[in-house]
Amino acid sequence: MSLHRIVEAQRAYFNTGATKPAEFRKEQLLQLKKLIEENRAALTEVVWKDLRRRHEVTEPMELGGSLEEIAYYLKNLDDWMKPTYVEPTVATLPTDKPYIVKDPKGVVLVISPWNYPVSMVLLPMIPSIAAGNTIVIKPSELSENTAILFEKLIPKYFDPKYVTIVNGGIPETTELLKERFDHIIYTGCPPVAKIIMAAAAKHLTPVTLELGGKCPVVVEDDADIEISAQRIARGKWLNCGQTCLAPDYILVSSATKPKFVAAIQKCLKEFYGGNAKESKDYSRVINQRHFDRISALLDESKGVVLAGNEESRDRSDRFIPPTVLDVEKTDPFMHDEIFGPVLPIITVKNLCESIDFINKGEKPLAAYIFTKDEAKVQRFLNETTSGGVTVNDVIMHVAVITLPFGGVGVSGMGRYRGKFGFDTFTHEKSVLQRVFA
Ligand code: NAD
């Protein structure tokens, strides 16, 4: 079927009203739950093939996270769908009823990236279903094993006029973007986000853009350095550094740096033995293009290598060792999001310098600070802007389903997860109801 006909078939189905009742939405959420539960092994296996990430990591992160989200939606959906009655104002008569009705938007387009190829398809689907929409999904062609599996699974569990999967690369996505959607959610990098937004503008389609950026980590002298290093190392080298919320670089004083570096080196030994290449816990770079991109930066960087044996880099295996570099602020690694297993460390005098440095860059998707000092935490929150913050850990704020998730500025636009996801894919229709008397 042509892409135009796919979208038109979905719009016709949406217009029948079939997707609106709460019962239908819940049935479809349960259907998605079934898809996950009946295909656990296959879903974790394709991620292993795409990224060499262990089943034991993918299972809780990508499948567990999505199942938790479905359960949360099932529990709250009836409440969220109810009209919200609002306070009367000077413009209302005593007999007026002002309220908000929760309308589905229509046909939603989900465009996903390759780094968490299962959850980046499932997590946007959940609120789209819950809000009563139909969905066209475009998984990333780079995580091709996962994309192929979804192409087999989605039609088994969903009617194509309700949920359809379109596989392909840039040409297919470009064609798809010519169609009129009622909402587009794109997860990926800022340069492509501009293309998506420009295409959406032609139809005035609202967009949610879940992007990335350089997530800074400030390690203050008063922090527990061993615990900080453990948490930073786990977050950094998870998925070989290919996590949108991964710590991108460290800001630390010269007094604390030696202790911090020693603690990171110890973690790397503990996590991957002496040799990450042989470790089942260490993933691979997604493809050779990204391997070449990170390799070029490594070759160009003047940073002092504090961890990571350069000799072990292997293009045929897409292997880059976990690497730590002591760098200047102008190092090539400090321009764009690294999205790979390299952790640069920058030496600063104090928190003031760290904050200044962060504020000179684009607004990141997340910012992290490790300190026992509440005043420093408050100063960091007041003086920096980012999509989200975890204090004394990294990444974990995304696991809190009751918090909104999204970026700010170049790291993204809009938010989803939990109730915020339901609201994103819902049109809040204002109603003022009057009587004749
Ligand atoms: P990618 O290359 O897989 O691209 C994402 C999607 O965009 C794919 O489906 C791809 O087909 C499509 N696409 C690529 N180029 C296109 C073009 N020219 N026109 C139309 N469509 C196009 O993924 P990526 O961009 O490399 O993903 C990595 C980025 O995603 C990183 O910046 C990361 O931080 C970010 N990310 C953000 C989140 C978040 O929730 N904020 C989550 C994961 C990844």
Side-chain angles (χ1 to χ4, degrees):
M1 210 195 285
S2 74
L3 296 175
H4 180 69
R5 288 187 58 193
I6 288 173
V7 177
E8 283 312 298
Q10 285 213 359
R11 180 153 290 113
Y13 185 59
F14 176 79
N15 287 339
T16 66
T19 65
K20 284 193 180 176
E23 279 324 303
F24 176 86
R25 304 183 195 193
K26 287 187 212 163
E27 270 165 30
Q28 302 304 321
L29 286 173
L30 288 170
Q31 193 63 6
L32 190 59
K33 179 171 182 244
K34 202 166 153 204
L35 180 156
I36 300 169
E37 287 176 342
E38 289 180 351
N39 299 282
R40 280 175 189 271
L43 286 165
T44 55
E45 179 60 21
V46 283
V47 176
W48 168 260
K49 284 189 181 150
D50 284 327
L51 284 150
R52 207 86 69 80
R53 179 167 3 103
R54 282 182 71 168
H55 299 63
E56 293 83 346
V57 178
T58 300
E59 170 92 30
M61 278 195 75
E62 299 212 53
L63 309 192
S66 303
L67 288 170
E68 186 198 350
E69 187 102 13
I70 291 173
Y72 188 65
Y73 269 83
L74 287 169
K75 186 171 136 225
N76 291 292
L77 188 60
D78 286 326
D79 261 358
W80 295 343
M81 284 178 68
K82 281 182 195 147
T84 312
Y85 290 88
V86 298
E87 272 181 45
T89 73
V90 285
T92 54
L93 302 171
T95 49
D96 280 353
K97 254 193 329 189
Y99 56 100
I100 302 165
V101 167
K102 316 295 172 64
D103 270 354
K105 284 191 170 172
V107 184
V108 170
L109 172 62
V110 174
I111 304 180
S112 302
W114 49 266
N115 62 333
Y116 288 89
V118 174
S119 58
M120 288 293 96
V121 165
L122 300 178
L123 289 177
M125 273 182 80
I126 297 165
S128 306
I129 291 175
N133 302 291
T134 68
I135 309 156
V136 177
I137 307 160
K138 217 305 282 169
S140 176
E141 68 281 20
L142 302 191
S143 43
E144 62 170 331
N145 293 292
T146 311
I148 291 167
L149 180 65
F150 271 127
E151 197 171 8
K152 281 192 205 135
L153 293 182
I154 292 288
K156 269 198 200 168
Y157 290 83
F158 295 99
D159 187 328
K161 58 186 187 292
Y162 173 56
V163 181
T164 315
I165 187 142
V166 173
N167 267 338
I170 296 173
E172 290 77 6
T173 319
T174 307
E175 277 308 298
L176 203 48
L177 284 167
K178 289 181 185 157
E179 297 300 321
R180 185 165 73 80
F181 291 94
D182 300 292
H183 194 98
I184 298 176
I185 178 163
Y186 165 79
T187 307
C189 57
V192 176
K194 291 179 188 170
I195 299 172
I196 307 289
M197 203 168 164
K202 297 228 163 81
H203 298 287
L204 290 180
T205 298
V207 290
T208 302
L209 304 174
E210 296 287 344
L211 314 176
K214 291 184 84 59
C215 301
V217 185
V218 174
V219 180
E220 282 296 294
D221 294 341
D222 67 281
D224 181 317
I225 298 301
E226 295 283 324
I227 295 177
S228 306
Q230 281 263 352
R231 293 177 181 174
I232 291 166
R234 281 227 182 280
K236 175 70 195 182
W237 286 290
L238 167 76
N239 208 32
C240 203
Q242 301 163 120
T243 303
C244 57
L245 291 166
D248 191 90
Y249 62 94
I250 306 290
L251 295 157
V252 67
S253 74
S254 54
T256 299
K257 186 166 66 177
K259 199 173 159 199
F260 177 73
V261 170
I264 287 274
Q265 288 165 337
K266 191 171 145 217
C267 291
L268 287 174
K269 279 229 170 71
E270 264 173 40
F271 295 174
Y272 310 117
N275 185 356
K277 204 168 184 183
E278 301 304 320
S279 167
K280 281 208 163 64
D281 291 315
Y282 192 70
S283 303
R284 292 298 183 267
V285 174
I286 183 74
N287 60 18
Q288 290 181 336
R289 181 168 64 80
H290 281 281
F291 177 94
D292 292 341
R293 174 182 64 80
I294 302 162
S295 278
L297 288 169
L298 281 167
D299 296 339
E300 231 182 286
S301 171
K302 302 262 185 300
V304 177
V305 180
L306 302 170
N309 171 13
E310 282 180 67
E311 303 295 305
S312 62
R313 246 191 275 166
D314 181 348
R315 189 171 194 270
S316 63
D317 190 27
R318 295 155 20 233
F319 173 81
I320 296 178
T323 303
V324 182
L325 298 177
D326 191 343
V327 303
E328 298 291 326
K329 287 175 181 167
T330 51
D331 191 86
F333 273 109
M334 295 311 298
H335 299 154
D336 296 318
E337 179 185 11
I338 297 170
F339 222 55
V342 182
L343 183 65
I345 297 182
I346 290 177
T347 314
V348 288
K349 285 193 202 71
N350 48 35
L351 182 57
C352 186
E353 188 182 343
S354 295
I355 290 175
D356 274 356
F357 185 75
I358 293 168
N359 289 338
K360 280 196 182 109
E362 298 288 0
K363 291 168 190 161
L365 183 60
Y368 306 113
I369 182 165
F370 289 76
T371 180
K372 290 177 189 148
D373 185 339
E374 182 58 24
K376 286 182 180 171
V377 172
Q378 289 309 318
R379 185 168 171 208
F380 186 76
L381 293 178
N382 268 328
E383 295 182 20
T384 65
T385 306
S386 58
V389 171
T390 297
V391 177
N392 294 329
D393 205 338
V394 296
I395 302 178
M396 293 310 295
H397 60 282
V398 70
V400 184
I401 217 164
T402 42
L403 287 173
F405 181 72
V408 57
V410 170
S411 61
M413 184 182 290
R415 69 245 171 107
Y416 74 131
R417 306 300 301 278
K419 170 76 161 59
F420 302 96
F422 177 82
D423 292 345
T424 287
F425 294 96
T426 294
H427 166 58
E428 293 185 321
K429 185 163 70 183
S430 296
V431 180
L432 175 64
Q433 195 168 336
R434 290 212 147 146
V435 294
F436 288 110

